Amino acid sequence: MPHPFKVHRTAEGDVSVLHLEGFLDAHTAPAFEQAIQAELDASRPRLVVDGEKLTYISSAGLGVFMGFIEQIREQGGDLKICGLSPKVKQIFEILGFQAIYDMVDTVPDAVQRFATSPTREA
């Protein structure tokens, strides 16, 4: 049986870190959407998504990333992705996410990206 999906939030200064765990699919994507929306509603658009414990992502899960990026950037923030396993990272890379998002290895690396470049340049 797949691991249940969980989203846990921590903060690194003014950067919110959403730690994902388990399977992110059509059934669990709404929980991820709610977590991102809560950050935006609280005027915290500088987000890091830590996928270290993410074991699977479906198109519905990938759609959450795409569904929010414009709104995040309009609020002056960005979304950085880190900690993906090789299997999950390959899915992101096949779909070209590295051209849209900063994808780095660790949470500290992702947080550091905000210090050097607040928003990703097009």
Side-chain angles (χ1 to χ4, degrees), residues 36-121:
I36 293 174
Q37 191 62 57
E39 296 306 306
L40 296 177
D41 290 347
S43 298
R44 294 188 298 254
R46 293 162 55 104
L47 305 174
V48 171
V49 175
D50 176 15
E52 183 180 1
K53 295 182 179 178
L54 187 65
T55 53
Y56 172 83
I57 189 164
S58 73
S59 59
L62 293 163
V64 175
F65 286 91
M66 296 306 294
F68 279 98
I69 193 60
E70 188 174 322
Q71 183 180 359
I72 290 167
R73 290 181 178 160
E74 284 174 355
Q75 289 190 18
D78 201 5
L79 188 149
K80 318 248 186 235
I81 303 169
C82 67
L84 300 177
S85 70
K87 179 176 85 171
V88 174
K89 187 175 185 179
Q90 181 181 23
I91 294 166
F92 280 86
E93 289 175 344
I94 288 170
L95 296 173
F97 272 57
Q98 69 278 11
I100 302 167
Y101 302 92
D102 281 332
M103 297 181 66
V104 297
D105 291 333
T106 67
V107 170
D109 290 343
V111 172
Q112 180 61 34
R113 292 285 178 102
F114 279 108
T116 58
S117 176
T119 57
R120 185 173 178 90
E121 296 178 20

